[in-house]
Amino acid sequence: MSADSSLLFEDQFLCSICLDVFTDPVSTPCGHNFCKNCITHHWDFNVPCECPNCKKRFKIRPELQVNTFITEMVSCFKESAQQRASSSSAQQAAKPGEVPCDVCTGTKLKALKSCQVCLVSYCETHLQPHLTVSVLKEHQLKHPVENQQGRMCMKHNKLLELFCKTDQTCVCMRCTISDHKQHEVVPLKEEYEDRKAELGKTETELQQMIQQRQLKIEEFKHSVKVSRENAGREIAEGVQVLTRLRHAIDRKQAEAIKVIQSKHKLIEKQAKGFIRELEQEISELERKGAELEQLSHSEDHLLLLQNLQALNAAPPTKNWTEVRVRSPSHEGIFRAVSAPLVDKLITDLKKLLPKTELRTAQQSAVDVTLDPDTAHPQLILSADGKQVHHADVRKNLPDNRKRFSTGLCVVGKQVISAGRFYFEVQVKGKTQWCIGVARESINRKGPLNIDPQNGYWTLGLRKENEYWAATCRLYSKSDPEKVGVFVDYEEGLVLFYDVDAAKLLYAFTGCCFTERLLPFFCPCFNQGARNSTPLIICPVNFTT
């Protein structure tokens, strides 16, 4: 049997009063069938009696006849429906998280639809009346949902199908003519669409916030990685310097000890020679003294007189009065051998410390670009905002309040208002230039007095090997090709480095920054092409 014929067959066994399969079906004189209890109760409350289907009136309450044919067919239909339900249950039992059918007994099948009129969710089998019975077809079906009773107004027992924007709550139709009469009320679906759009926007914003924080995490991880690499490099270089120094100290110590010991051995050898001579003389004098003593006890007159002259003669001895063993002075030996080491250590530290400072400054590198709205009309900027040089032709540009009108200057787009800030500029090939940072509020329309009192912290080249930092003239034996500019806003520092030599060129200290700063650039006049090389903002390559 086809699905359509099955639905038609099922529709024929539904009581039009209770809208369920017949129970004890009976027939009226007009030929319509009803459940016995349904038609009996209907006539109990409706006088005169009439057929609910065709509206035929009966003067006398008719006697109802049991329809045996319908009774047998209903029995067969119920048995078939139970078999279909049993088969469906095995295949479509509701899983956790799915809405179960409210009509099923025993195993709950998965609900396909929820009726907003009946407030019941139906599986495929129990949904059939809503698909076939004309009265039930008018009911509004929707995607299955749980807790249908929770969708009813507690006060009026009506479906919550509207939304009060004034009180921000769901209401029923009757609420709009009582508690929410003067309020702005819209259909629930309309508010749902608006809120869903807001949720989408909020979700997008949340995703952006998540991505920003993930990028920040990666930035922190990169900072830790760079710091770890720098720390390892600093330790390696420091250990190398101190190891060389320790080895040098050990060598110089051995040399000093050897010199001192050599001097001591020489004195010791000289003293031993003198002692040996003195011991020999003592031995000779003791021998002669013994002979004299022996002779002095002799009774032999002749023997005494014969030997006395020989014994009285002085033995051959040395005059030791002026003989000295002078201890040599060891003072200054260690000082003499250690002085070169101290000089070498200082030299190594001078080489090592600037590199360390520069590497630390480079950790605060910022991608600086030039602001074309601030450039003097005779300056030429590259398309990427990284280069600037002077041209003899004055461009016709709008004279906005940010543009320099007299000084051949331009500032960067990036703002310095807190923390640390670092960028590098290539000045190779230029005969004049000036770079640094300046207050955002500097005067851009008249003559420029470039010094800290007027809001400029800069370093510049005026002529060969003559550099100026504010009003301080500096002299350099070599010209830097790339200059690094470092700002510590809170500490009040502006430092300038020769990047290639890792050398500090000049430091502004004790500055008091009270407003935002901007990177500052002045390529100066091209001097008939002698100074046409541009200032170039370079990517930072960390010093090794």
Side-chain angles (χ1 to χ4, degrees):
M1 183 180 293
S2 66
D4 291 341
S5 61
S6 177
L7 292 176
L8 179 62
F9 182 82
E10 184 177 353
D11 193 18
Q12 293 173 341
F13 297 104
L14 296 180
C15 173
S16 60
I17 297 177
C18 68
L19 301 178
D20 203 349
V21 179
F22 289 120
T23 301
D24 297 331
V26 294
S27 300
T28 61
C30 57
H32 294 107
N33 300 305
F34 303 95
C35 297
K36 183 177 181 180
N37 286 337
C38 291
I39 190 64
T40 299
H41 285 114
H42 180 73
W43 284 345
D44 287 342
F45 294 98
N46 292 277
V47 179
C49 300
E50 66 177 12
C51 176
N53 285 358
C54 65
K55 306 301 180 181
K56 181 177 181 180
R57 292 190 177 188
F58 306 100
K59 294 181 180 180
I60 302 174
R61 185 167 182 168
E63 183 178 352
L64 298 172
Q65 301 294 324
V66 175
N67 192 324
T68 55
F69 175 75
I70 295 295
T71 301
E72 292 177 359
M73 294 301 295
V74 166
S75 177
C76 292
F77 170 74
K78 286 184 176 180
E79 183 178 351
S80 176
Q82 289 177 354
Q83 291 177 355
R84 292 199 307 273
S86 175
S87 176
S88 299
S89 176
Q91 299 176 6
Q92 303 178 18
K95 299 176 182 179
E98 295 179 339
V99 178
C101 175
D102 293 328
V103 181
C104 290
T105 58
T107 302
K108 295 285 188 179
L109 301 186
K110 175 184 175 181
L112 297 183
K113 295 289 182 180
S114 294
C115 177
Q116 289 190 328
V117 177
C118 304
L119 301 179
V120 176
S121 297
Y122 297 103
C123 65
E124 182 179 4
T125 300
H126 295 113
L127 182 64
Q128 296 307 315
H130 280 75
L131 302 177
T132 58
V133 178
S134 57
V135 177
L136 295 180
K137 285 182 179 180
E138 298 179 359
H139 291 190
Q140 185 177 356
L141 300 176
K142 64 177 183 179
H143 189 74
V145 293
E146 292 184 310
N147 189 24
Q148 289 275 69
Q149 292 298 326
R151 299 171 182 274
M152 300 295 292
C153 176
M154 300 293 292
K155 185 174 182 179
H156 303 111
N157 198 31
K158 294 292 183 181
L159 185 66
L160 297 171
E161 53 186 342
L162 301 172
F163 184 81
C164 176
K165 285 182 170 290
T166 305
D167 291 341
Q168 294 291 299
T169 185
C170 298
V171 297
C172 70
M173 188 63 72
R174 291 187 63 182
C175 289
T176 61
I177 59 176
S178 57
D179 300 340
H180 303 266
K181 186 175 181 179
Q182 302 297 328
H183 294 179
E184 182 183 0
V185 178
V186 297
L188 205 61
K189 185 176 181 180
E190 179 181 330
E191 185 67 18
Y192 162 80
E193 296 295 340
D194 292 343
R195 292 295 180 90
K196 191 172 183 180
E198 291 179 5
L199 286 176
K201 182 179 178 181
T202 302
E203 184 179 2
T204 301
E205 292 174 351
L206 288 175
Q207 290 300 322
Q208 290 176 349
M209 293 174 66
I210 291 172
Q211 291 175 2
Q212 291 171 354
R213 280 150 182 78
Q214 289 174 338
L215 290 175
K216 206 66 180 176
I217 289 174
E218 292 303 318
E219 178 185 330
F220 290 152
K221 288 182 178 178
H222 177 71
S223 298
V224 171
K225 179 183 177 182
V226 172
S227 176
R228 185 186 301 113
E229 293 173 352
N230 289 341
R233 185 165 50 246
E234 297 300 330
I235 290 173
E237 291 181 356
V239 169
Q240 187 178 14
V241 169
L242 294 178
T243 300
R244 288 200 303 265
L245 179 64
R246 184 168 61 249
H247 291 163
I249 290 173
D250 291 341
R251 288 195 304 271
K252 293 300 182 179
Q253 175 180 296
E255 292 176 8
I257 292 174
K258 186 176 181 180
V259 170
I260 294 173
Q261 288 178 341
S262 296
K263 288 186 176 183
H264 169 69
K265 287 181 179 179
L266 183 62
I267 295 302
E268 186 179 33
K269 182 179 180 181
Q270 185 183 33
K272 285 182 178 179
F274 290 156
I275 291 171
R276 189 164 47 249
E277 288 183 44
L278 288 169
E279 287 177 346
Q280 290 176 356
E281 289 186 2
I282 291 171
S283 178
E284 183 64 24
L285 291 172
E286 287 178 345
R287 183 187 63 77
K288 193 166 187 176
E291 290 179 354
L292 286 173
E293 183 180 4
Q294 182 179 3
L295 186 61
S296 66
H297 293 89
S298 175
E299 298 294 333
D300 188 342
H301 302 146
L302 179 63
L303 179 64
L304 186 147
L305 293 174
Q306 288 177 337
N307 293 315
L308 180 61
Q309 185 175 1
L311 291 175
N312 279 337
T317 57
K318 187 176 181 178
N319 183 5
W320 293 96
T321 305
E322 302 298 330
V323 177
R324 297 284 188 273
V325 176
R326 300 185 182 278
S327 178
S329 174
H330 304 299
E331 187 177 338
I333 294 178
F334 271 96
R335 187 182 302 112
V337 298
S338 62
L341 296 180
V342 173
D343 293 340
K344 187 176 187 322
L345 175 61
I346 293 174
T347 301
D348 289 342
L349 289 177
K350 284 182 177 180
K351 292 179 180 178
L352 183 61
L353 291 177
K355 285 187 177 181
T356 303
E357 293 175 1
L358 180 56
R359 278 197 292 264
T360 302
Q362 288 175 329
Q363 303 306 312
S364 304
V366 175
D367 185 16
V368 173
T369 53
L370 302 171
D371 185 353
D373 292 336
T374 68
H376 185 277
Q378 286 184 283
L379 293 183
I380 304 298
L381 276 60
S382 62
D384 61 359
K386 297 294 185 180
Q387 301 184 25
V388 57
H389 67 277
H390 170 248
D392 294 323
V393 179
R394 185 182 183 93
K395 292 177 291 184
N396 185 17
L397 298 175
D399 188 18
N400 60 63
R401 62 180 183 82
K402 298 195 300 180
R403 191 179 304 282
F404 289 90
S405 61
T406 55
L408 296 175
C409 307
V410 61
V411 294
K413 295 179 180 179
Q414 289 67 33
V415 173
I416 312 166
S417 58
R420 296 176 174 181
F421 194 99
Y422 178 84
F423 62 95
E424 292 180 353
V425 184
Q426 181 176 306
V427 297
K428 179 181 179 182
K430 293 193 67 62
T431 57
Q432 286 186 348
W433 51 265
C434 182
I435 62 174
V437 294
R439 284 200 296 257
E440 191 175 28
S441 64
I442 55 173
N443 178 27
R444 309 183 189 192
K445 300 303 178 183
L448 306 182
N449 295 318
I450 300 180
D451 57 48
Q453 288 72 28
N454 293 307
Y456 297 87
W457 292 266
T458 62
L459 177 74
L461 174 64
R462 294 189 182 180
K463 57 184 180 180
E464 186 177 359
N465 294 333
E466 183 178 315
Y467 295 86
W468 287 79
T471 57
C472 180
R473 180 184 297 179
L474 312 174
Y475 290 94
S476 175
K477 295 181 180 179
S478 59
D479 293 328
E481 296 184 353
K482 188 186 296 182
V483 176
V485 182
F486 173 74
V487 178
D488 189 324
Y489 195 91
E490 282 74 21
E491 294 296 327
L493 294 177
V494 182
L495 310 179
F496 295 89
Y497 291 94
D498 180 339
V499 176
D500 297 323
K503 174 184 177 183
L504 181 65
L505 297 173
Y506 191 79
F508 289 99
T509 60
C511 306
C512 183
F513 302 127
T514 57
E515 63 177 88
R516 307 200 309 177
L517 306 178
L518 297 172
F520 176 83
F521 307 87
C522 177
C524 299
F525 289 99
N526 61 24
Q527 300 174 347
R530 287 187 295 110
N531 189 37
S532 60
T533 303
L535 288 174
I536 303 175
I537 302 172
C538 307
V540 175
N541 295 318
F542 292 98
T543 301
T544 58

